Amino acid sequence: MSQKHLKEAFISNLNGTSLLEISLGLSLAPLCLLCRGLLLILYYLHYGKPLSSRKYSLLLDFLVLVSPLVFSCTVLSPIIFFMPSIIAAFCAGMFSKIYSQRKHETRVPFRQIVQEFQKTYLDPEYIPAITVFRVYVNVLTSISILAVDFPQYPRRYAKAETYGTGVMDLGVGAYIFGNALVCPEVRQKSYVTQPTFSNLARQFFSVWPLIFLGVGRLLSIKSIEYHEHTSEYGVHWNFFFTLAFVRLAASLLLAIFPKNKSWIIAINLAVLYQLILNTTSLKMFILHGSNGRDSRVGFLNANREGLLSLFGYLAIYMASVQVGLCLLKCRNSVKGWTEAARFLLLTALVLFLFLHVSQAHADPVSRRMANLSYCIWVLAHCLTFFTWFVVTDLTLVFTKLLAKGSSVPCCWNVVKPPNTGTKHGTEAVSMGKEGKLAHICLISAINKNQLLFFLLANVMTGTVNILIDTIHSKTASTLCILHLYMFFNCLIMYILHAKNIVVKFW
């Protein structure tokens, strides 16, 4: 076999992994974020000042926020079930040390501290969990798109051929979910009930970079005969086209229907699409082509997976718009966000129940078709993933209140309660300036140029695959390559952020 066909076979005919393993794997990112925050608070308690060195801040962020994820999907994947417990125990130890120092100074009862924490007000203009969720989806995607070409990356994590739940199958849907959370329709002011058609025209124009990137990827792959998984999107289609067309279709629907009813549209789309799959020959067409022999003759045949899966991805997008609208409601207190986290987690549990019913009576999860089960699965895991970030942020807010004056980048700012002049409010104001530390945060750096980060990761992945025989790479070489690749991508984002450069020309 040629190197091209060998690599294509290496990422084909796979069946995914279990829902439990994916859930445990997703818990690592919030735990890493918590670990980074606790380390910064401990540094403040020890030295009496925040970590201000950009060089050491970048190194700390990379080693704590990124490197553990590289190890978890390669050499540490056999013990993935133990890793969350290990990191959580380490975090518990740091929290205990922070609390013991606080207790030694003031001797305030723990119950009183919790009561004060519940009355704390948070900056309503910024929801750090949304930023962190979107950044980590990018980071995990960037790691996986290169790591999947190495033998150290478990085959069960790669995209499933037809049915199955691979980690990379979730990544595609999570990207759609994250984009919908911050779409223009969600970010519009509450008094705007639905976008006007003039706004719609501007949104149509805003997707041209995705079309351009999709065409560029298509031409580059075909010109250098780069290996590709045809049954993923088709012969000519790719994820950039999917993002663009889902965004266009969603903008059109949200210009016609009230945006606060987007969940109804999502349900109707997903259920109707599943009914058509089950009652017509559409499913057989997607899986086997018009002639039943995997024909790729004609544009529709050649790109049937990419074109027809748009219905499922559009349903995910519309449901995610509803989640975004829910999150942007005025919740400016710890108590409000605690209740929100409870509600999100309960919703996720209900979705997992629906997933069980859907897989039993409709169809197993299929990213290739983006069927009803896939839509439910993506939404359930994304809500769970997002909720863990909310819990992480609340934990860090609590810990910062223990160590007054400490700061954690990309974490909620504590602000003065409205219409009060209490001592509690005065103390809170003095702690609400930590947004100034955003310039030394890797998460903020990636967030500022997310599309560029994703594009750079794709280009670097192609470059590595052209220069290196990834399939026969040794473990040490694999880890070295993946770390250098991720560090280079992060460093470029960090430098651009330090110079306040945003690569956006549309």
Side-chain angles (χ1 to χ4, degrees):
M1 295 176 69
S2 67
Q3 187 74 3
K4 178 178 182 291
H5 291 118
L6 194 62
K7 288 189 174 184
E8 287 174 354
F10 191 59
I11 57 175
S12 302
N13 302 312
L14 304 172
N15 298 314
T17 185
S18 67
L19 299 182
L20 178 59
E21 184 168 16
I22 293 176
S23 298
L24 287 172
L26 289 179
S27 69
L28 293 177
L31 285 170
C32 290
L33 186 69
L34 178 62
C35 183
R36 191 278 298 254
L38 294 175
L39 283 171
L40 289 174
I41 294 172
L42 273 176
Y43 181 92
Y44 173 82
L45 289 174
H46 189 267
Y47 292 100
K49 61 179 181 179
L51 180 63
S52 57
S53 169
R54 290 186 175 183
K55 178 174 64 175
Y56 291 122
S57 180
L58 172 61
L59 187 61
L60 173 68
D61 281 359
F62 183 80
L63 291 178
V64 179
L65 300 180
V66 179
S67 186
L69 303 180
V70 175
F71 282 107
S72 69
C73 67
T74 50
V75 293
L76 295 183
S77 58
I79 59 167
I80 191 71
F81 287 91
F82 301 103
M83 286 187 64
S85 300
I86 295 171
I87 300 177
F90 184 63
C91 289
M94 287 191 290
F95 179 83
S96 177
K97 185 174 179 61
I98 293 169
Y99 178 73
S100 64
Q101 292 187 17
R102 156 79 182 194
K103 188 176 180 181
H104 178 72
E105 293 172 0
T106 62
R107 301 293 180 180
V108 177
F110 184 78
R111 180 175 295 182
Q112 182 180 335
I113 297 173
V114 172
Q115 290 174 348
E116 291 178 0
F117 169 65
Q118 291 175 338
K119 298 175 184 177
T120 301
Y121 281 80
L122 305 171
D123 183 1
E125 301 298 320
Y126 176 57
I127 303 175
I130 293 179
T131 299
V132 176
F133 176 92
R134 298 181 72 240
V135 167
Y136 258 116
V137 168
N138 260 302
V139 169
L140 290 167
T141 302
S142 300
I143 293 172
S144 295
I145 59 176
L146 178 59
V148 70
D149 294 314
F150 290 90
Q152 290 75 19
Y153 188 86
R155 296 300 90 194
R156 65 185 185 277
Y157 289 179
K159 288 178 180 175
E161 185 68 28
T162 301
Y163 295 106
T165 52
V167 175
M168 295 184 71
D169 292 312
L170 178 63
V172 179
Y175 214 96
I176 297 286
F177 182 92
N179 277 0
L181 290 182
V182 295
C183 70
E185 292 82 6
V186 170
R187 288 185 279 111
Q188 282 177 340
K189 300 296 183 182
S190 57
Y191 57 78
V192 180
T193 55
Q194 60 189 78
T196 63
F197 280 92
S198 59
N199 290 334
L200 180 63
R202 287 197 297 270
Q203 292 163 31
F204 271 46
F205 178 74
S206 68
V207 302
W208 76 262
L210 294 172
I211 302 292
F212 177 78
L213 292 173
V215 172
R217 188 180 192 280
L218 171 64
L219 295 177
S220 61
I221 283 178
K222 300 300 180 184
S223 62
I224 64 175
E225 295 188 351
Y226 189 79
H227 68 278
E228 54 184 328
H229 194 186
T230 304
S231 65
E232 185 177 349
Y233 295 107
V235 177
H236 311 103
W237 203 262
N238 58 57
F239 188 55
F240 289 112
F241 291 141
T242 294
L243 281 176
F245 279 88
V246 166
R247 172 75 178 277
L248 291 176
S251 296
L252 181 60
L253 287 174
L254 292 169
I256 299 172
F257 301 101
K259 60 185 181 181
N260 60 353
K261 303 296 182 184
S262 58
W263 66 277
I264 298 176
I265 302 172
I267 292 174
N268 287 330
L269 270 172
V271 172
L272 181 60
Y273 177 49
Q274 185 63 54
L275 286 173
I276 295 173
L277 285 174
N278 284 0
T279 59
T280 69
S281 59
L282 184 62
K283 184 190 298 185
M284 295 303 294
F285 172 71
I286 295 175
L287 299 181
H288 305 293
S290 57
N291 65 353
R293 301 176 184 175
D294 199 26
S295 170
R296 295 289 174 179
V297 178
F299 183 77
L300 181 58
N301 254 317
N303 303 285
R304 56 185 184 268
E305 293 91 350
L307 292 170
L308 293 171
S309 64
L310 288 173
F311 293 103
Y313 289 124
L314 181 57
I316 294 172
Y317 190 98
M318 297 300 290
S320 306
V321 167
Q322 191 70 55
V323 175
L325 292 171
C326 177
L327 294 175
L328 290 185
K329 288 179 181 178
C330 187
R331 289 192 180 92
N332 58 352
S333 67
V334 166
K335 185 177 180 181
W337 273 105
T338 303
E339 293 173 354
R342 256 192 244 113
F343 174 75
L344 290 173
L345 196 55
L346 180 62
T347 304
L349 291 174
V350 171
L351 286 172
F352 277 118
L353 179 62
F354 284 154
L355 174 61
H356 177 75
V357 174
S358 178
Q359 292 205 103
H361 300 285
D363 227 2
V365 172
S366 173
R367 183 260 324 147
R368 187 174 177 182
M369 291 183 282
N371 58 4
L372 176 63
S373 295
Y374 177 77
C375 295
I376 297 173
W377 174 60
V378 166
L379 290 170
H381 269 303
C382 285
L383 286 176
T384 305
F385 194 36
F386 180 83
T387 304
W388 294 145
F389 283 126
V390 173
V391 172
T392 298
D393 283 328
L394 291 174
T395 305
L396 289 174
V397 170
F398 180 79
T399 312
K400 287 190 298 180
L401 292 176
L402 293 178
K404 284 182 169 55
S406 60
S407 299
V408 178
C410 285
C411 179
W412 257 308
N413 293 339
V414 178
V415 297
K416 184 177 180 179
N419 303 321
T420 62
T422 62
K423 182 180 179 182
H424 174 77
T426 303
E427 290 179 349
V429 170
S430 67
M431 299 169 61
K433 302 297 183 182
E434 65 195 55
K436 301 294 183 182
L437 293 176
H439 67 283
I440 59 170
C441 178
L442 180 59
I443 293 172
S444 297
I446 296 174
N447 181 58
K448 184 170 277 190
N449 286 290
Q450 289 206 45
L451 183 57
L452 179 63
F453 181 80
F454 184 61
L455 178 61
L456 180 62
N458 276 270
V459 172
M460 290 300 298
T461 295
T463 303
V464 171
N465 270 281
I466 291 171
L467 298 177
I468 297 172
D469 179 12
T470 56
I471 294 180
H472 299 102
S473 178
K474 302 296 183 183
T475 300
S477 300
T478 297
L479 292 175
C480 183
I481 292 167
L482 289 175
H483 277 88
L484 287 174
Y485 152 81
M486 284 304 299
F487 186 78
F488 176 79
N489 292 341
C490 292
L491 179 62
I492 296 298
M493 298 302 106
Y494 201 80
I495 292 172
L496 291 175
H497 188 44
K499 296 182 178 297
N500 200 30
I501 298 174
V502 180
V503 182
K504 187 173 183 179
F505 44 85
W506 57 92

